[in-house]
Amino acid sequence: SIWLARRIAPQVPIRRIGQFEIPDASRVITWALVAIAALLALISAGSWGGHWQEILLFANAEPFGVADPHFNRDVGYYVFDLPVFRFIQGWAIASLVAILLLTLGSYAAGALRWQFRLTAPVRAHLSILGALLLGLIAFGYQLDISELVYSRGGYETIQAATYTDMNAQLPAYVILTFVALAAVVLLLLNIWFRTLWALLLAGGAWFVLSVVVGGLYPSFVQNFSVNPNEQNLERPYIADHIASTRAAFELDDIEV
């Protein structure tokens, strides 16, 4: 089999492991990673090109002079800024995931050349990439908070922040933000100290809180607190929604 491998691909070097010889595929893997990186770069460029309208609006944004009733931000933030921030956050996460996979592939190619060691620089490299990824996830939770102003909140006839959004979903996003940032700190500490156990603990806590606080708790509040007393609890939020709608269509300026 070794003779046949040399006849088919004589340019591929052979590595010996004990009594066995295997082809050294590190060079092939390296070139494959380069090709994948080039393809991903083209996809990334196409993604930016597909959002040129949002970026152009963001670059020429003007304030509306009207603030939303919940976070006191100018309405222009939700029209011009928030869509671009969400696009950049999603693009950055996808890019970092691709970079992480390519980095692991590069280290795998090094391992085939017997050059891979889990040294301090390697640990620092992977820790920084992971910390950036978690930081972007924490930033995404903050964007989720902003997007609550036009959340449907389980209703089909209203698109605005509701009681559950402001009293259950909002605190959940705040908690998940702090947990993600704590994981960022632990990853950065992993550069100098071996904090893998603490990082696994933070990752487990983040997963549990994502399910319980981010999913189950808002559903519990909606079903057992809001639905039995919906009219009283939702009244101020519906009033804010109606007032914002009337202001958007300038209905308050119409003289009867």
Side-chain angles (χ1 to χ4, degrees):
S1 59
I2 299 300
W3 177 85
L4 181 61
R6 289 185 181 277
R7 286 290 183 180
I8 296 175
Q11 74 280 8
V12 177
I14 301 297
R15 296 288 184 183
R16 178 179 293 276
I17 303 179
Q19 299 178 353
F20 302 97
E21 291 182 340
I22 60 173
D24 181 7
S26 59
R27 182 173 299 178
V28 176
I29 294 176
T30 300
W31 281 109
L33 291 174
V34 172
I36 293 173
L39 177 62
L40 292 176
L42 292 175
I43 295 174
S44 176
S47 178
W48 279 89
H51 289 80
W52 67 268
Q53 290 180 314
E54 292 92 334
I55 296 172
L56 187 62
L57 288 172
F58 173 79
N60 298 275
E62 293 289 340
F64 278 61
V66 178
D68 77 274
H70 304 293
F71 303 115
N72 199 32
R73 289 195 181 101
D74 188 271
V75 174
Y77 167 80
Y78 301 99
V79 177
F80 302 118
D81 299 344
L82 185 57
V84 174
F85 291 158
R86 176 59 77 184
F87 160 68
I88 292 176
Q89 187 254 351
W91 168 83
I93 286 181
S95 299
L96 273 176
V97 170
I99 290 171
L100 271 170
L101 294 177
L102 289 173
T103 300
L104 292 174
S106 177
Y107 287 141
L112 291 176
R113 293 191 298 266
W114 319 114
Q115 295 175 357
F116 177 73
R117 297 289 187 275
L118 190 59
T119 59
V122 172
R123 190 170 68 247
H125 186 196
L126 296 177
S127 297
I128 290 174
L129 290 177
L132 289 173
L133 181 60
L134 288 172
L136 287 170
I137 292 174
F139 178 59
Y141 287 132
Q142 294 302 299
L143 297 181
D144 290 335
I145 291 175
S146 298
E147 290 176 349
L148 290 177
V149 297
Y150 43 81
S151 167
R152 291 203 175 273
Y155 299 100
E156 297 182 357
T157 57
I158 185 174
Q159 189 174 7
T162 61
Y163 179 90
T164 301
D165 292 326
M166 300 304 297
N167 293 275
Q169 199 69 63
L170 173 59
Y173 287 145
V174 173
I175 293 173
L176 291 174
T177 299
F178 280 107
V179 173
L181 291 177
V184 169
V185 173
L186 290 174
L187 263 176
L188 294 178
L189 289 176
N190 191 55
I191 298 174
W192 298 279
F193 311 100
R194 296 186 180 277
T195 59
L196 185 60
W197 64 271
L199 183 61
L200 293 175
L201 181 62
W206 178 35
F207 176 77
V208 172
L209 288 173
S210 298
V211 175
V212 176
V213 178
L216 297 180
Y217 178 64
S219 299
F220 178 84
V221 171
Q222 179 67 35
N223 292 325
F224 295 97
S225 181
V226 176
N227 290 345
N229 194 24
E230 190 172 37
Q231 184 175 0
N232 291 329
L233 293 180
E234 297 288 14
R235 181 180 288 114
Y237 301 97
I238 294 175
D240 289 335
H241 177 58
I242 293 174
S244 299
T245 303
R246 291 181 62 87
F249 288 96
E250 298 183 346
L251 297 179
D252 294 330
D253 299 332
I254 297 178
E255 296 182 1
V256 180

